[in-house]
Amino acid sequence: MRLMLYVLLLTTALCLAGCQQQEKGVILQEDIASDTLASNIVTKPIIHAFSAIIGEGIEIDRAVTYVNKDGFMELEVAGHNRSFGTKRFEYKVEWLDKSGMVIASLTNKWMLTSAAGKSPFTIKAVAPRTTAVDFRMNTRKIPD
Amino acid sequence: MMKKILPFVLAAALFGCEPSTKNIDTINDPGKAVMGLDYRDFERAASEMVQSMVASGAFKKEGGGRYVVAKGRILNDTMQRIDTDQLMAKVEQEMTRSGLVVMTAAVGAGNAPKDSMVHDVREIRDSDKADEFNKDTLQAKGQLIAPELSISGKVIQRNVRYEGDKQQVEYYFQLQMNNLTNGLVFWQNEIVLGKRGSNKSVSW
């Protein structure tokens, strides 16, 4: 009975700690921030295993394009990594002209990037020609 | 009988084990990373350099037009026999296509690739051979455009002992665009490509 009480108290404390308001824009990784359910030494393996089972990974929040003062389209893709581990992956941005054709360019190559666990990330790209009006982006796992 | 057949059987078996040659899919290459620099590293470095140049906004010429750029020296300070022109060709090609700059083939530093024909046709113009040509088609004097900018840089390699049987190889690609009129650095960028692998892998 006493053990159950301890576990209940611990869980409540961790939940309350996890609910603490964090400064927006500041990310405190595990082992740096105060313990939460996801980082506590007791509950961490269960939460991490659950995350892996449900297959948490990269999610894209928004892709913004704008034309810079020199007339080149710029792209900023913002997303976040839902998993606990760092995700390394490759991306390729292809630029399209007004007729929807891919603009042949050296910049249409697979580029390396990564996102730290439970953190946001940003990918930036610049069109190689002023004729670019749209884009498409692909991602892939880094070859082993 | 068996002794006669055995060498042929062994030869056939060994020949069968030889890995077959395949063409590399350079668009979606699934190949593993290598400790040295391969074409993917050059493409990544060149792509990042070009995007940095285009995004910098430094190459928009006031009053319109394009900057004339000469090839400067790109030093190879690595343990590999890198033809730095290979990297520069990619960067120059993309920058020219972007419409921001135009490269000159008339002048360039040291061994930087130039077109000797630019000077050869002028030598012809000033020699007795000029009589063989229609005078109107010969290049007039004072037609060459002097470069306004020059592109130069360096590729550096550093080998670091990482763990017992692992090594870390760092490649630094440094490029800068200089204004030849006043010597000011117009733009510069450094890209680092790092590789970690077995000590047995050779990076030279």
Side-chain angles (χ1 to χ4, degrees):
Chain A
M1 189 61 191
R2 185 172 285 181
L3 181 70
M4 283 289 286
L5 189 67
Y6 283 142
V7 170
L8 190 68
L9 278 172
L10 177 70
T11 312
T12 313
L14 289 172
C15 282
L16 286 172
C19 293
Q20 274 178 354
Q21 193 70 34
Q22 297 251 340
E23 183 66 38
K24 199 182 170 190
V26 179
I27 296 138
L28 292 172
Q29 293 286 350
E30 284 181 6
D31 305 326
I32 306 246
S34 300
D35 270 7
T36 63
L37 270 177
S39 62
N40 178 264
I41 195 164
V42 179
T43 51
K44 182 176 164 176
I46 302 158
I47 303 287
H48 281 224
F50 181 71
S51 167
I53 288 166
I54 62 169
E56 284 186 323
I58 296 289
E59 283 180 15
I60 300 298
D61 300 325
R62 66 176 193 281
V64 183
T65 57
Y66 73 99
V67 177
N68 68 21
K69 65 181 173 62
D70 295 340
F72 292 91
M73 184 175 258
E74 294 197 28
L75 165 70
E76 185 176 293
V77 177
H80 60 273
N81 178 6
R82 281 199 172 280
S83 72
F84 286 94
T86 299
K87 287 271 183 193
R88 296 178 72 231
F89 60 99
E90 290 184 326
Y91 68 92
K92 179 159 78 171
V93 179
E94 289 179 309
W95 297 94
L96 310 172
D97 63 19
K98 64 180 178 190
S99 50
M101 306 282 270
V102 173
I103 297 169
S105 165
L106 172 77
T107 57
N108 300 352
K109 300 292 174 194
W110 288 105
M111 305 294 280
L112 271 171
T113 192
S114 69
K118 294 287 177 194
S119 300
F121 67 92
T122 307
I123 293 170
K124 289 188 136 195
V126 187
R129 316 268 186 279
T130 51
T131 49
V133 294
D134 203 359
F135 76 97
R136 68 181 180 214
M137 188 175 128
N138 199 356
T139 56
R140 73 173 182 180
K141 192 181 159 194
I142 294 174
D144 293 324
Chain B
M1 182 65 181
M2 278 295 284
K3 276 184 182 175
K4 282 181 181 172
I5 296 171
L6 198 62
F8 293 105
V9 173
L10 278 173
L14 286 171
F15 185 74
C17 293
E18 192 178 293
S20 59
T21 304
K22 287 177 184 168
N23 287 326
I24 297 172
D25 172 9
T26 55
I27 310 295
N28 294 297
D29 190 351
K32 292 176 182 175
V34 292
M35 289 298 275
L37 289 170
D38 70 0
Y39 80 96
R40 291 170 293 180
D41 299 316
F42 279 107
E43 285 181 345
R44 273 179 199 150
S47 175
E48 282 192 42
M49 286 292 183
V50 168
Q51 293 195 55
S52 166
M53 280 189 211
V54 172
S56 72
F59 299 96
K60 190 77 175 175
K61 200 171 182 181
E62 280 181 34
R66 297 193 280 177
Y67 281 108
V68 180
V69 181
K71 293 161 191 156
R73 288 185 71 188
I74 310 290
L75 295 173
N76 173 21
D77 192 10
T78 71
M79 296 169 206
Q80 299 176 58
R81 287 194 58 175
I82 297 172
D83 185 354
T84 52
D85 295 335
Q86 206 184 341
L87 170 71
M88 289 315 298
K90 294 179 196 298
V91 173
E92 289 161 11
Q93 172 192 310
E94 276 302 304
M95 283 306 288
T96 306
R97 284 184 183 174
S98 73
L100 291 173
V101 303
V102 59
M103 303 300 298
T104 175
V107 287
N111 295 329
K114 300 175 280 279
D115 189 349
S116 61
M117 282 307 294
V118 174
H119 301 286
D120 290 351
V121 290
R122 282 163 176 78
E123 276 177 24
I124 290 171
R125 179 197 61 200
D126 300 334
S127 71
D128 296 339
K129 291 177 190 166
D131 297 338
E132 299 293 332
F133 291 86
N134 179 338
K135 292 267 186 302
D136 297 334
T137 62
L138 285 170
Q139 281 71 22
K141 286 193 175 182
Q143 294 298 302
L144 292 180
I145 308 292
E148 298 161 287
L149 306 174
S150 99
I151 188 164
S152 60
K154 199 173 183 182
V155 186
I156 303 163
Q157 176 180 351
R158 286 190 65 221
N159 281 34
V160 184
R161 198 175 181 87
Y162 183 65
E163 275 174 350
D165 58 345
K166 281 188 178 173
Q167 63 173 326
Q168 179 169 304
V169 185
E170 299 160 6
Y171 297 101
Y172 300 83
F173 292 83
Q174 300 171 335
L175 275 189
Q176 63 182 53
M177 199 76 95
N178 307 312
N179 188 327
L180 293 174
T181 307
N182 53 27
L184 297 177
V185 178
F186 232 57
W187 164 93
Q188 77 176 87
N189 195 21
E190 179 183 79
I191 287 158
V192 183
L193 298 180
K195 292 157 187 264
R196 257 176 225 143
S198 165
N199 262 337
K200 290 171 188 166
S201 304
V202 183
S203 58
W204 41 267

